[in-house]
Amino acid sequence: MPSIQPLSLDHPALLRTRNFIGHAWCDGLDGQHLEVSNPATGAVFASVADSGAADAARAADAAHAAFPAWSRRTARERAQLIKRWHALILEHREDLARIISTEQGKPLQESRGEVLYGASYVEWFAEEATRISGEIVAEAVPGRKMLVLKEPVGVVAAITPWNFPLAMIARKIAPALAAGCTVVAKPAEDTPLTALALVYLAEKAGLPAGVLNIVTASRANTPAVVDAWLADGRVRKITFTGSTPVGKHLARESAGTLKKLSLELGGNAPFIVFDDADIDAAVDGLMASKFRNGGQTCVCPNRVYVQAGVHDHFVARLALRVAALQVGPATEEASQIGPMINARAVDKIARHVEDAVAKGARVVTGGERVRLDDGPHYYAPTVLTHATPQMALSCEETFGPVAAIFRFTDEEEVVRDANDTPFGLAAYFYSNDVRRIWRVAQALETGIVGVNEGAIASEAAPFGGVKESGYGREGSRHGLDDYMHTKYICQGQLG
Ligand code: SIN
């Protein structure tokens, strides 16, 4: 039986350790367990079900059986249930934030922000559910009516990452339910507890049996779960946030049943500061976008390009701010940078910094691991200058608190360098020249561009990438559209 060591919550019932399938909390069929560890120390503090293909199939059975009734409910009824779920998320926000910080390592202040961020998608899609509408096409042939309907795609499999254990699953489940789809979900192996708590609240909100199902699985068993859904023709859509190699695997393997796909994959975001920028605003924007979640987001700037005329001034101001960041345990109020997710993540950051320094980068601040009393998985917030395209950090996502500064001289050169990557999720730039703003915003090959703004994500905006950062959008009306297909009805013989 999976278990949890005491984690102090106002509502301990939020700590779930079993799968939720149909309307029952159940162990995995073969009784294996997945251990959940504290990211700072690697010490195990919980164990949940480690599911396999048979559990995935049971979840798909339940979701498939629930689909006809759920999809026929009125949009208003679905919206009311999702709103109730939203209210419960807000009611339990402090507990949810504690669970996020404990299993993911995000500082409490940020976890509270993540709960509100995730909840904003739930509220948004509850409201959007009531605005789904089709079209009546102007008569092309006398006596014929042509109508366009939007219909839910069917059963959706949601596969989510560890870096936003609440927001990423919320922004997949909420539009799916709003559209009338049913869901099977698998959260990341590092952070299953937040997702289980969220599903528990959906159950409390009164979601009917089988509409939302969740199975947890280890890294070793995840392929069995996902392959079961990939091969299952009843699963009509996969929505995934994670790495580009896994996204490509899903695209290849879902071709057998031609599923609809939404893939939010890796990024390698450029952040450009032009000579004409407001430097204080640019430093604020980089602090907000680069150091959020310790640099562990897909939209974190990975390459910071600063024009020669403001380079030294920008670096000096940035270094002061970065050196002042408080590194500490996620559950302490004062912490601003928590532990990285695991030892592999810290090793990758250290490898990137060592490689950069060996190739000529200079460390302005940070540049080393930090060992705190509660564990070894911390890395000092870092600023490097003299970065070049030959360094690993210029072509691989570092996913850590490292700002690597590249000096540039002209606009054409920096746009070319910024686009010189297979990825295209987000880009940012700072400039006060209105003509340049339009030129550069249009020239950047990404799905999202922040212009004089580092905090770009919103439930009201379409989030997603181009090139090898994937396709599909989350948030906004586009995020709902991705869970529906278009049906054309042609009625003839009308005289
Ligand atoms: C991500 O890192 O994939 C999501 C970040 C966000 O929603 O802002």
Side-chain angles (χ1 to χ4, degrees):
M1 160 82 83
S3 64
I4 297 193
Q5 286 165 25
L7 171 65
S8 166
L9 298 182
D10 292 338
H11 290 85
L14 283 170
L15 288 175
R16 316 305 295 183
T17 57
R18 301 159 110 195
N19 292 333
F20 187 67
I21 299 178
H23 219 230
W25 292 94
C26 48
D27 292 328
L29 286 174
D30 61 11
Q32 289 186 50
H33 297 150
L34 154 67
E35 293 180 332
V36 186
S37 54
N38 176 330
T41 58
V44 173
F45 72 95
S47 106
V48 299
D50 190 2
S51 316
D55 303 294
R58 281 183 62 208
D61 292 345
H64 181 65
F67 177 70
W70 179 247
S71 58
R72 281 198 296 267
R73 290 231 183 173
T74 64
R76 186 158 297 283
E77 282 175 311
R78 292 199 300 271
Q80 277 162 352
L81 279 169
I82 301 168
K83 277 191 182 155
R84 218 173 293 152
W85 184 33
H86 172 251
L88 287 171
I89 295 171
L90 292 188
E91 188 183 322
H92 294 280
R93 62 176 171 242
E94 193 58 27
D95 276 348
L96 289 168
R98 287 198 170 278
I99 300 173
I100 295 173
S101 288
T102 305
E103 68 174 352
Q104 197 260 294
K106 180 174 293 178
L108 255 185
Q109 294 182 29
E110 276 197 59
S111 296
R112 291 184 185 117
E114 181 180 343
V115 177
L116 297 182
Y117 177 49
S120 72
Y121 285 93
V122 176
E123 184 178 39
W124 171 272
F125 286 114
E127 289 166 353
E128 283 298 286
T130 60
R131 297 185 196 118
I132 297 170
S133 54
E135 301 157 30
I136 299 176
V137 182
E139 216 160 270
V141 179
R144 254 193 222 169
K145 289 282 178 214
M146 299 192 290
L147 292 86
V148 181
L149 306 186
K150 289 285 180 185
E151 292 188 334
V153 293
V155 176
V156 171
I159 304 164
T160 56
W162 52 264
N163 62 343
F164 289 86
L166 188 143
M168 295 302 104
I169 199 160
R171 80 181 186 195
K172 292 179 180 349
I173 294 175
L177 299 181
C181 300
T182 54
V183 178
V184 291
K186 195 212 73 72
E189 46 284 347
D190 297 294
T191 55
L193 298 174
T194 310
L196 291 169
L198 211 56
V199 170
Y200 170 74
L201 293 176
E203 179 201 4
K204 293 292 148 217
L207 224 53
V211 169
L212 175 57
N213 309 275
I214 185 165
V215 299
T216 53
S218 62
R219 201 163 270 115
N221 275 347
T222 289
V225 168
V226 173
D227 288 353
W229 292 337
L230 282 167
D232 191 332
R234 298 170 305 172
V235 175
R236 293 313 313 147
K237 175 178 169 109
I238 303 229
T239 170
F240 169 71
T241 297
S243 75
T244 293
V246 174
K248 288 181 180 176
H249 170 78
L250 297 175
R252 270 192 301 271
E253 298 303 316
S254 63
T257 51
L258 279 185
K259 298 183 200 312
K260 198 171 166 106
L261 285 177
S262 289
L263 301 175
E264 201 254 275
L265 308 176
N268 182 5
F271 185 106
I272 306 169
V273 184
F274 288 101
D275 280 347
D276 57 43
D278 174 336
I279 298 304
D280 288 340
V283 171
D284 285 347
L286 187 60
M287 294 303 294
S289 54
K290 174 73 246 184
F291 294 96
R292 178 173 171 229
N293 198 16
Q296 302 173 107
T297 89
C298 298
V299 288
C300 274
N302 204 47
R303 298 164 292 153
V304 183
Y305 295 98
V306 186
Q307 202 161 10
V310 291
H311 178 275
D312 295 353
H313 178 53
F314 179 86
V315 170
R317 296 195 75 99
L318 179 69
L320 280 178
R321 296 276 298 275
V322 173
L325 287 171
Q326 289 282 319
V327 179
T331 45
E332 277 181 16
E333 291 290 346
S335 299
Q336 293 171 297
I337 303 284
M340 301 295 105
I341 187 68
N342 52 35
R344 271 198 325 279
V346 196
D347 289 347
K348 181 178 185 189
I349 298 164
R351 175 169 62 76
H352 274 194
V353 172
E354 280 158 25
D355 168 77
V357 170
K359 291 175 180 157
R362 297 197 195 145
V363 177
V364 182
T365 184
E368 59 193 3
R369 294 168 190 260
V370 178
R371 174 172 277 279
L372 298 184
D373 288 346
D374 77 326
H377 298 160
Y378 293 89
Y379 200 89
T382 297
V383 177
L384 301 176
T385 55
H386 297 77
T388 67
Q390 287 69 41
M391 297 170 183
L393 51 67
S394 96
C395 48
E396 290 172 39
E397 264 183 307
T398 303
F399 239 60
V402 178
I405 317 278
F406 299 68
R407 182 192 286 260
F408 75 94
T409 47
D410 72 73
E411 181 185 308
E412 208 177 310
E413 163 207 353
V414 77
V415 168
R416 192 187 56 237
D417 288 352
N419 287 337
D420 187 17
T421 165
F423 302 103
L425 184 53
Y428 308 79
F429 68 94
Y430 278 70
S431 168
N432 278 326
D433 175 338
V434 73
R435 288 193 184 80
R436 165 175 279 160
I437 285 175
W438 281 104
R439 248 188 345 259
V440 175
Q442 288 177 301
L444 288 168
E445 297 167 357
T446 56
I448 308 167
V449 181
V451 183
N452 296 330
E453 181 56 65
I456 47 174
S458 159
E459 76 283 3
F463 188 104
V466 298
K467 293 159 72 178
E468 294 190 21
S469 291
Y471 39 74
R473 292 293 180 267
E474 295 190 320
S476 81
R477 67 184 167 79
H478 304 282
L480 185 57
D481 216 42
D482 272 7
Y483 291 85
M484 295 185 287
H485 56 225
T486 302
K487 180 182 276 179
Y488 157 51
I489 298 179
C490 179
Q491 185 177 3
Q493 306 298 322
L494 292 174

